[in-house]
Amino acid sequence: MKQRLMVRAFTKTLTLIPLYRPSRTAFCAASSSFAIKNVTKSNFDSSLADLRRHVRDSDFVAIDLEMTGVTSSPWRESFEFDRFDVRYLKVKDSAEKFAVVQFGVCPFRWDPTKQSFIAHPHNFYIFPRQEVGADDSSYEFLCQTSSIDFLAKYQFDFNTCVKEGISYLSRAQEADVRMSDILFVERMRNKISDWHDDLLQIRNGGSKRTPGDSNDSVNQFQTIFFKTRPAIKLDAFTSRQLRLIKSVVEKSFNDLAYIRVNDGSSFQQIIVYTDSRLDRDLLMKEVKESQLKEAEMKIEAAIGFRHVIDLLSSEQKLIVGHNCFLDIAHICRKFVGPLPSSLEEYVPLVQKTFPFIIDTKILLNANNILQLKMKKTSTSLAKAFAILCPHIASGVGSFGSALNNSVAVEVQVDDMRSSNWNSGAKHEAGYDAFMTGCIFAQSCNHLGIDFTSHSMLTKIDKLQHYINHLYLSWSSGDIVDLKTGQTRTESSAPNSYKTQQPKILFPNIVIIWGFSSKLKAREIKESLTKVFGLTSVTSIFHLDKTAVFVQFSKPELVSDFLKLKSEMEKKKNDAIYVLHPFSDILEGGLTGAACYELYKEICESPVSKVLFADQAEAVCVNSEAKVLGSMAHKTDSFADSESAIDSKTAETSGEILGLVSC
């Protein structure tokens, strides 16, 4: 899971006096500082048209997202004892509960005449505004206080984000809307109206009535002209009264038409006089077509930023991100549809949306050449940019690239273009996408990839080992292959304790929660070893202050513990109960326990409690029958799963939680 600050500072607009060439694009030879391309709903349509051209001509597109938070509770952090399927569930929870507020898109195109890349960074502000009558939980989202505080620290304009942020509908939401009242009811009304008109054709009419016959106030009937026809606008009626008037008009007056139109600010109910039945039919056809067109335009507008995602997906360009598994999960959840419940189902969804993805963090860690270039230091985005792209980071541009044999990158924003660009806008999605693309370009250069060969990057042999490989968790080195769905653990993961600590065996694990807050991990271990033997507990560590994981030396000890716990709880009134080693663990009568499979179920729940003990209780796993019964339903697919644990203490809610190992 991406472990970095998520919010970036807004760009600062600086004054620039460009040196003009004969072309319309202003090229800046000196160190240049012009603003990144910021996109809101006011300039979205024009920016989207430009972006289509840039993406179509690009060799690859770098992306970066900024969110309102990462984890909905401390125990949903990514830990060493999380299995592959549990890691996915935690990322899924994050993508479902938090919002994306900035989306950086930066197409890169190789210019053979200049022997450099041309980058077009865009910084989109997005907000999940409800534009149409869809009802989806994604319109409610969580905010982590640390993330919001960081936004405020860097002068994030919350008003711009909320008021000017581009709205969106996912593909699933769009499909739902198209079957909702906006179009469905309108079509049904048209069919019923057509059917009713056919019936009226065979009727003889009846006594005439006019609006003037009613006792309503004069202000409720206003004579106007609608499409050159005399009409009456109905005001100040209740919805029931309007339905009755509509019924009277349709049943009693063949030369009147009751219509509902949008005058730009609100809907108006109008009765229109028509010269003939043909004229009436023509009017109704025009109104119906206008209403359908208006509804369609409303949906198109509501789709909003998803047009960008559809563009990236349809062009099937190489998408470049940095530690981007969480980013991709957000994209799928926000712009495609609900996330599947399992990693196995999620992989084909990603492949269908983006067939080619490369993670620069994997590239930097897995390739020996790049490891040497990085001097085996941190592969964070900022660090990698400073080491691999010093000529860009320092603003010396093409001159510096010639000195250190690096790839030159020019930046174009609207009519401004520079070979040594410095936006002054670090720490925002658009600039981070630019940095990610620069890192990838320099990495390809160090790998000896020839950009002049006109080969598609997705087909270059030197990149095949890295395309569609994403970190499920960088800290543990867990990687998923999006082409096959297979998972593996990277041997070069940054865990210096892996060879020193016991391996995690998931069938040997039991989770205990709800014990007294005074009880520490070491004391729980001592209680367990008094019953099952000194070597029975391999390791024990806190998930949060209300729960611990215990790994036994043998898988059968898990069921032995759960059965003994159940028996002890039945004897809590016996005198011998207080003398048993388990009495401290069971003190208070709220202690629960489960095997690893039920931990997965707890993580899978959409319920979000801050403390794990409350979460476990909320999803109803604190029952003896379910806990013991689950032992029979363990899946064989993970029976032999092993992973080295990190003996570092887990830090949650500002509190260092202990870890005890044999």
Side-chain angles (χ1 to χ4, degrees), residues 79-83 87 504 506 541-543 549 596 599:
F79 297 119
E80 288 294 333
F81 49 78
D82 287 340
R83 208 165 54 189
R87 293 194 192 284
I504 286 185
F506 297 108
F541 38 87
H542 272 282
L543 180 60
F549 268 87
Y596 197 90
Y599 169 58

Side-chain angles (χ1 to χ4, degrees), residues 96 99 128 136-141 168 173 333-334:
E96 290 174 339
D136 191 271
S137 59
S138 67
Y139 292 115
E140 298 178 358
F141 58 86
Y168 56 84
Q173 287 172 326
R333 176 63 186 92
K334 303 296 189 297

Side-chain angles (χ1 to χ4, degrees), residues 2-11 64-67 101-102 123 125 147 150-157 322 381-382 425-433 435:
K2 184 176 290 188
Q3 298 293 323
R4 62 181 178 83
L5 293 173
M6 301 155 293
V7 186
R8 309 300 180 200
F10 268 29
T11 183
D64 185 83
L65 277 64
E66 308 303 343
M67 310 93 169
V101 292
Q102 283 186 345
N123 193 52
Y125 293 97
S147 295
F150 191 79
L151 280 166
K153 179 181 177 181
Y154 284 90
Q155 292 83 47
F156 188 93
D157 192 336
H322 189 83
L381 184 65
K426 294 181 180 179
H427 305 302
E428 67 180 5
Y431 191 80
D432 278 8
M435 289 198 296

Side-chain angles (χ1 to χ4, degrees), residues 136-183:
D136 191 271
S137 59
S138 67
Y139 292 115
E140 298 178 358
F141 58 86
L142 298 181
C143 296
Q144 273 185 298
T145 53
S146 58
S147 295
I148 300 303
D149 182 61
F150 191 79
L151 280 166
K153 179 181 177 181
Y154 284 90
Q155 292 83 47
F156 188 93
D157 192 336
F158 292 97
N159 285 332
T160 296
C161 181
V162 175
K163 294 170 63 177
E164 296 297 323
I166 307 159
S167 59
Y168 56 84
L169 286 179
S170 71
R171 293 170 185 171
Q173 287 172 326
E174 180 190 356
D176 290 341
V177 167
R178 291 189 182 280
M179 290 302 293
S180 69
D181 288 351
I182 289 180
L183 292 180

Side-chain angles (χ1 to χ4, degrees), residues 418-435:
S418 172
S419 61
N420 46 9
W421 178 64
N422 182 0
S423 74
K426 294 181 180 179
H427 305 302
E428 67 180 5
Y431 191 80
D432 278 8
F434 168 72
M435 289 198 296

